[in-house]
């Protein structure tokens, strides 16, 4: 689905990632782990087409649609939209102001997939951290991506909410969605990932999740 | 009161403007552009003064100034952290310019009052027609861009990673806002647009959870304020602007 071939990335003359090789197959749950500053965000920008490579090649298969759940959003407790309206913001931007019957149905489907149907009429500003992350996830799903990138989506959640969110994501993966999950959390990586990419100051290792501990032990 | 033609004109103009401000205001509030709107109205004041000085119609002067400066301010303040400082500086410059143009032209005092406070009951049939055309144009643009505008206004982060060209939408919205401010200023005056554009929408936000309902409520609040203001002005003979500001 996606191939990174001797990929080098950076900003201006400053290099951040050099010589990264990676293949992401359809249906994988790839966990990207590594400390701050190793280039996880840079890699995401490149996948989203916001950053041209310094060297090497990034190949994305034809027709693959990438969805992205950003790490930060500044929505305070007075944020006025309901969860349903927030999710529906991501409908295709046609000239039609109102939602068609089909679009309404699509919104309800992603709400159901993210366990938000019951909460859909509540203001998003009053939702818990976990509910908010699920709403962000649902909004991305509305564009029906083939690959979904989750950027530290569990960072500010309590342990139960982390597991709840990732269980949903895992379910989506078993239904055919490819996942890239960026995190600091080794335990979550082991529990939910099928493959890993460990980024560590110019040294990149990847493989099936079963090899993660072996890789870490041998470091 | 509708037996008087100037009251009929005032009623039609006031109603249109209330609708326009209700719709745009919801996006102004969501995009946290209240301060920007205030600055645009001051820029409109400078444009109006320039028109008086140059012998143009005030609407044309205001549109020229607000459109040019909205693009300028939009470009200068791309970084949110710099926005407030840039807007303050631009504000000061344009109020100064407004006063300069007024003092350069011979007819300062009454023109200044006209620009600052508007003249809802002094509006002619031709001006009402102009207002109708511009309002329909603006509302048409807002309808066509509604989905993209809603996404970029209520979830900028999400819109940035969607297929929407967020920068283009921001620029178009600034231009629409500039024209609306100029048009509205004819009627309610530079000093009051800011209130009509922000207060109804900011209040509507607390009563509902959907954008369409918010727009509906904002229009309702703006209409109530405008109509009550006009009516009280009619029965008391006090200036309409006084009631607008206190509604």
């Amino acid at each position: 689905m996606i191939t990174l071939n001797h990929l080098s990335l950076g900003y201006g003359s400053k290099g951040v990632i050099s010589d990264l090789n990676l293949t992401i197959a359809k249906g994988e749950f790839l966990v990207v782990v590594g400390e701050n500053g190793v280039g996880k965000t840079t890699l995401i920008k490149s996948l989203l087409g916001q950053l041209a490579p310094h060297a090497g090649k990034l190949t994305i298969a034809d027709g693959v649609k990438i969805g992205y759940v950003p790490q930060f959003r500044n929505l305070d407790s007075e944020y006025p939209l309901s969860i349903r309206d927030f999710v529906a913001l991501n409908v295709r931007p046609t000239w039609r102001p109102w939602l068609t019957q089909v679009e309404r149905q699509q919104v309800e489907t992603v709400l159901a997939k993210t366990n938000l149907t019951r909460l859909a009429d509540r203001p998003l500003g009053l939702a818990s951290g976990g509910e908010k992350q699920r709403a962000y996830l649902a909004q991305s799903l509305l564009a029906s991506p083939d690959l979904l990138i989750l950027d530290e989506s569990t960072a500010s959640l309590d342990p139960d909410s982390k597991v709840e969110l990732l269980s949903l994501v895992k379910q989506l993966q078993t239904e055919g969605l490819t996942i890239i999950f960026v995190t600091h959390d080794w335990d979550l990586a082991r529990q939910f990932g099928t493959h890993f990419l460990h980024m560590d100051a110019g040294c990149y290792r990847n493989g099936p999740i079963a090899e993660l501990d072996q890789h870490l032990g041998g470091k | 009161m509708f037996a008087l033609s100037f009251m009929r004109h005032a009623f039609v103009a006031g109603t249109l403007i209330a609708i326009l401000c209700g719709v745009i205001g919801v996006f102004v509030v969501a995009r946290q552009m209240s301060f920007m709107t205030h600055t645009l109205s001051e820029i409109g004041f400078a444009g109006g003064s320039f028109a008086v000085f140059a012998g143009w119609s005030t609407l044309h002067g205001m549109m020229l100034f607000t459109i040019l400066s909205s693009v300028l301010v939009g470009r200068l303040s791309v970084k949110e952290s710099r926005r407030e400082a840039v807007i303050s500086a631009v504000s000061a410059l344009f109020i100064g310019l407004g006063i300069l143009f007024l003092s350069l032209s011979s007819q300062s005092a009454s023109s200044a009052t006209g620009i600052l406070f508007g003249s809802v009951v002094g509006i002619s049939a031709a001006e009402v027609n102009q207002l109708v055309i511009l309002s329909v144009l603006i509302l048409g643009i807002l309808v066509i861009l509604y989905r993209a505008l809603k996404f970029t206004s209520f979830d900028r982060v999400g819109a940035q990673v969607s297929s929407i060209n967020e920068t283009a939408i921001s620029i178009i919205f600034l231009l629409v806002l500039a024209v609306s401010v100029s048009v509205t200023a004819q009627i309610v005056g530079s000093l009051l647009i800011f209130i009509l554009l922000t207060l109804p929408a900011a209040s509507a936000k607390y009563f509902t959870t959907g954008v369409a309902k918010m727009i509906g409520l904002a229009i309702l609040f703006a209409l109530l304020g405008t109509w009550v203001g006009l009516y009280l002005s009619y029965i008391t003979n006090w200036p309409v602007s006084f009631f607008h500001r206190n509604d």
Side-chain angles (χ1 to χ4, degrees):
Chain A
M1 191 174 223
I2 292 182
T3 315
L4 283 58
N5 204 345
H6 298 288
L7 189 71
S8 295
L9 297 167
Y11 306 93
S13 59
K14 185 172 165 273
V16 179
I17 291 176
S18 63
D19 203 24
L20 172 60
N21 291 294
L22 180 70
T23 305
I24 304 168
K26 184 171 168 19
E28 268 186 20
F29 193 127
L30 176 74
V31 189
V32 179
V33 275
E35 297 306 310
N36 289 330
V38 294
K40 299 189 300 263
T41 307
T42 310
L43 178 62
I44 290 174
K45 278 191 177 164
S46 165
L47 288 171
L48 292 173
Q50 294 172 355
L51 191 66
H54 277 179
K57 202 166 176 218
L58 167 72
T59 318
I60 299 174
D62 277 343
V64 169
K65 208 162 158 190
I66 300 180
Y68 173 61
V69 185
Q71 184 177 3
F72 298 111
R73 266 180 165 108
N74 292 325
L75 306 182
D76 61 19
S77 62
E78 289 193 350
Y79 183 77
L81 296 196
S82 67
I83 289 177
R84 178 181 284 112
D85 283 41
F86 174 82
V87 170
L89 288 175
N90 200 18
V91 287
R92 251 170 20 91
T94 61
W95 61 270
R96 196 193 302 269
W98 59 89
L99 294 183
T100 63
Q101 196 59 43
V102 175
E103 286 167 335
R104 266 176 219 285
Q105 195 49 53
Q106 286 166 343
V107 172
E108 295 310 314
T109 307
V110 295
L111 285 170
K113 278 186 177 177
T114 48
N115 290 347
L116 288 170
T117 305
R118 208 169 39 82
L119 306 168
D121 290 321
R122 286 184 44 194
L124 181 63
L126 301 178
S128 71
E131 289 159 4
K132 277 189 179 136
Q133 287 297 336
R134 269 147 56 202
Y136 303 162
L137 174 66
Q139 195 199 62
S140 301
L141 288 176
L142 193 60
S144 26
D146 307 294
L147 170 86
L148 194 63
I149 303 172
L150 296 139
D151 194 355
E152 310 257 11
S153 299
T154 55
S156 55
L157 301 184
D158 61 77
D160 287 347
S161 304
K162 281 181 187 179
V163 171
E164 187 185 6
L165 180 70
L166 286 178
S167 303
L168 279 174
V169 175
K170 188 82 189 168
Q171 178 60 36
L172 295 168
Q173 181 230 341
T174 58
E175 290 167 13
L177 189 65
T178 310
I179 307 288
I180 297 179
F181 172 49
V182 178
T183 187
H184 284 105
D185 194 320
W186 298 102
D187 291 331
L188 289 176
R190 285 188 196 91
Q191 198 178 342
F192 292 98
T194 61
H195 293 74
F196 74 94
L197 167 67
H198 180 215
M199 303 176 72
D200 186 14
C203 175
Y204 312 107
R205 293 290 299 274
N206 64 79
I209 203 75
E211 291 171 16
L212 177 62
D213 287 315
Q214 188 190 339
H215 154 63
L216 289 175
K219 206 170 70 167
Chain B
M1 72 188 223
F2 292 112
L4 302 161
S5 72
F6 71 87
M7 279 312 284
R8 280 201 305 272
H9 293 160
F11 180 78
V12 173
T15 302
L16 266 178
I17 278 168
I19 294 172
L20 198 61
C21 287
V23 178
I24 294 181
V26 167
F27 297 110
V28 166
V29 170
R31 299 172 91 92
Q32 299 180 333
M33 281 171 69
S34 305
F35 195 30
M36 175 74 197
T37 309
H38 185 55
T39 306
L40 273 177
S41 64
E42 285 162 356
I43 292 169
F45 164 66
S49 313
F50 175 75
V52 169
F53 165 65
W56 300 1
S57 89
T58 43
L59 178 64
H60 295 156
M62 283 187 177
M63 287 203 349
L64 176 73
F65 270 51
T66 51
I67 288 175
L68 282 182
S69 57
S70 66
V71 175
L72 189 73
V73 170
R75 285 195 66 87
L76 284 174
S77 56
V78 178
K79 281 241 189 288
E80 227 159 291
S81 52
R82 285 196 308 221
R83 199 157 76 179
E84 307 245 307
V86 169
I87 293 176
S88 304
V90 171
S91 264
L93 173 70
F94 276 93
I95 291 181
L97 277 178
I99 294 166
L100 175 69
F101 289 131
L102 277 182
S103 69
L104 286 177
S105 68
S106 49
Q107 36 179 316
S108 60
S110 68
S111 317
T113 316
I115 297 167
L116 287 173
F117 297 102
S119 51
V120 66
V121 289
I123 183 170
S124 68
E127 285 169 320
V128 172
N129 286 340
Q130 203 173 27
L131 181 67
V132 171
I133 293 169
L134 283 171
S135 306
V136 168
L137 192 73
I138 293 170
L139 289 173
I141 294 174
L142 293 178
V143 166
I144 292 169
L145 292 182
Y146 181 69
R147 286 186 175 194
L149 196 57
K150 199 164 87 164
F151 200 179
T152 54
S153 303
F154 285 89
D155 181 21
R156 202 161 71 94
V157 176
Q160 276 166 343
V161 296
S162 78
S163 59
I164 293 171
N165 186 339
E166 199 241 340
T167 316
I169 297 290
S170 299
I171 292 171
I172 295 172
F173 184 71
L174 262 177
L175 291 176
V176 165
L177 184 62
V179 175
S180 313
V181 164
S182 305
V183 172
T184 314
Q186 304 302 301
I187 317 298
V188 297
S190 298
L191 285 177
L192 302 181
I193 306 163
F194 169 63
I195 297 162
L196 202 53
L197 264 170
T198 54
L199 196 57
S203 316
K205 186 178 141 173
Y206 293 98
F207 291 97
T208 179
T209 58
V211 181
K213 285 182 204 150
M214 243 180 266
I215 290 175
L217 267 181
I219 291 175
L220 188 70
F221 291 154
L223 279 175
L224 273 178
T226 309
W227 287 342
V228 171
L230 271 176
Y231 178 68
L232 289 179
S233 162
Y234 175 76
I235 57 172
T236 61
N237 228 1
W238 289 357
V240 184
S241 295
F242 169 77
F243 295 109
H244 272 188
R245 251 172 313 160
N246 294 286
D247 61 29

